[in-house]
Amino acid sequence: MLCQECQQRPASLHFTKIINGEKTEFHICETCAKDKGEYIPGSNSFSIHQLLSGLLDADQPFSSTKKQSFDTPRPELKCTHCGMTYQKFAELGRFGCAECYKSFDEKLDPVFKRIHGGNASHQGKIPKRKGKDLHVHRELEELKERLKELIENEAFEEAAETRDRIRSLETTLHKKGGE
Amino acid sequence: MSLESFISQAVSPWMKNEGPDADIVISSRVRLARNLQNVPFPILATEEQLQGIQHQVDHKFANHSHRQFGQLELLKMNDLKENEKRVLMEKHLISPNLANSAKEGAVLLSEDESLSVMINEEDHFRIQCLLSGFQLDEVLKFANSMDDWMEEKLDFGFDERRGYLTSCPTNVGTGLRSSVMMHLPALVLTKNLNRILPAINQLGLVVRGIYGEGSEALGNLFQISNQTTLGKSEQDIVEDLRSVVKQLIQHERAARELLSEESQNQLEDRIYRSYGILSYSRSMESKEAMQRLSDVRLGIDIGVIKDVNGKILNELMILTQPGFLQQYAGEQLGTSQRDERRAAIIRERLKLEGDI
């Protein structure tokens, strides 16, 4: 098959683009693809980042920003650590550094919920060294839930044990100067 | 272990140990995206900062022995020739992104190549573990143990509420992408796969071609992976994937039986034709090679072809890709030269197998 652009070289790249539900097939050679900016090998121009960019669009009327835009212009949201602006983040579909997560926090819940099937908070692994207290906090939460259940079920003996365990964990945290 | 051995052998040592359900599941993989807390992500970091990350890995991990993976070796992308990078990519040890990036990329590789840590790809680190067959628990366990080892020495960006902080918002949380590569020829032949795919997507899983995002499904090979990384534990993500893969295995087996029962003659004809073409062709495009190899592999798996070992097809699917062909030839090859070499390698390899 010949390249549909130059009609000279053999087509080596075959794409299917779907725009607004309309399917178009492309058969082009690498040279024309590069010229058209359609494809840089490996970079995958129809990437997740482009799709994301649509989701993250900075002009999107998030309720809080919409209200404010009528009076004083809002200072631009910017990462204090790496200087990435929210506008830039929305264009690139990528954060600039770990601190961006804090800097853009107010806007992230709806974004994450859309990307991650309605979820915005982490339920997985906690790093051992860095997350030491976090492990204890999580265990405490679980134990408190358990305690409620035990009391409801009138399993008082086990409830007392659980309560003691909670107390001892809280003391440990307190001693270490944790929250 | 040297660069040469990573490049010259087509089959990674981990592939030689055939895992469970290896007639349908080619490999299982887990990757964890991790970043340093205080350094900008590779998209913004300076060359010096990226070099600094490489140095840290070189100093703290390279040439050290990890309890599960043995000696680890660091390969810097800047030290590799184009074709060597391509070979590592064809072996799935690095991503096309890392191979093509002009930045300070590197990869830390284990002796048996089941573990690789890409450095300065989209994230500072991408820990990847690959094993043969259906072994999702094992790959998760191994990747986790590497993660723990690295975390003892490096400060990873982690937030109580958001989890592991990644460059792309689609990886945040667990940073976990788990995937399996499946050979599903009977579901494709019976046109059942198209019916199953939408359901798989609804479960939050994605089906792609063999090189991941945006690539075509060659040789009836499909990669199935989780889409979301936030809100579920690593175990739950892997469990969801496992249950879908289990069902796909059952569907594929049922489709193979159905084909054997109802169109035995047509199926055998197709398999033997492909076998014949592979055994005698003088020139073959990669797409055709993948398709024919898929047919023969199906023939071996359902017992139609008995004197060929299924493993050589995994090997050939890798060996006949452009990077490997050129590595073997020791020179750049044009398309038609590659097609001739490809046909020759397949012929020789099949003949060798038949003689045994």
Side-chain angles (χ1 to χ4, degrees), chain A residues 41 44 48-49 93-97 99 101 105 109 116 119-125 127-130 134, chain B residues 37 41 100 122 144 147-148 151 154-156 158 160-163 166-167 169-170 173 213 229-231 234:
Chain A
N44 192 356
I48 188 87
H49 304 295
R94 281 186 269 186
F95 293 101
C97 72
E99 287 297 314
Y101 281 86
D105 189 62
D109 270 4
H116 295 284
N119 297 304
S121 59
H122 180 57
Q123 300 297 327
K125 183 172 177 177
K128 280 201 181 109
R129 189 168 50 89
K130 204 171 176 190
L134 213 51
Chain B
Q37 175 66 40
F41 296 147
N100 290 316
E122 186 179 283
N144 258 332
D147 178 42
D148 291 342
E151 199 255 338
L154 300 169
D155 273 324
F156 287 156
F158 180 85
E160 186 170 341
R161 199 154 63 94
R162 304 296 191 197
T166 54
S167 171
T170 56
E213 207 181 301
T229 54
L230 197 59
E234 287 80 359

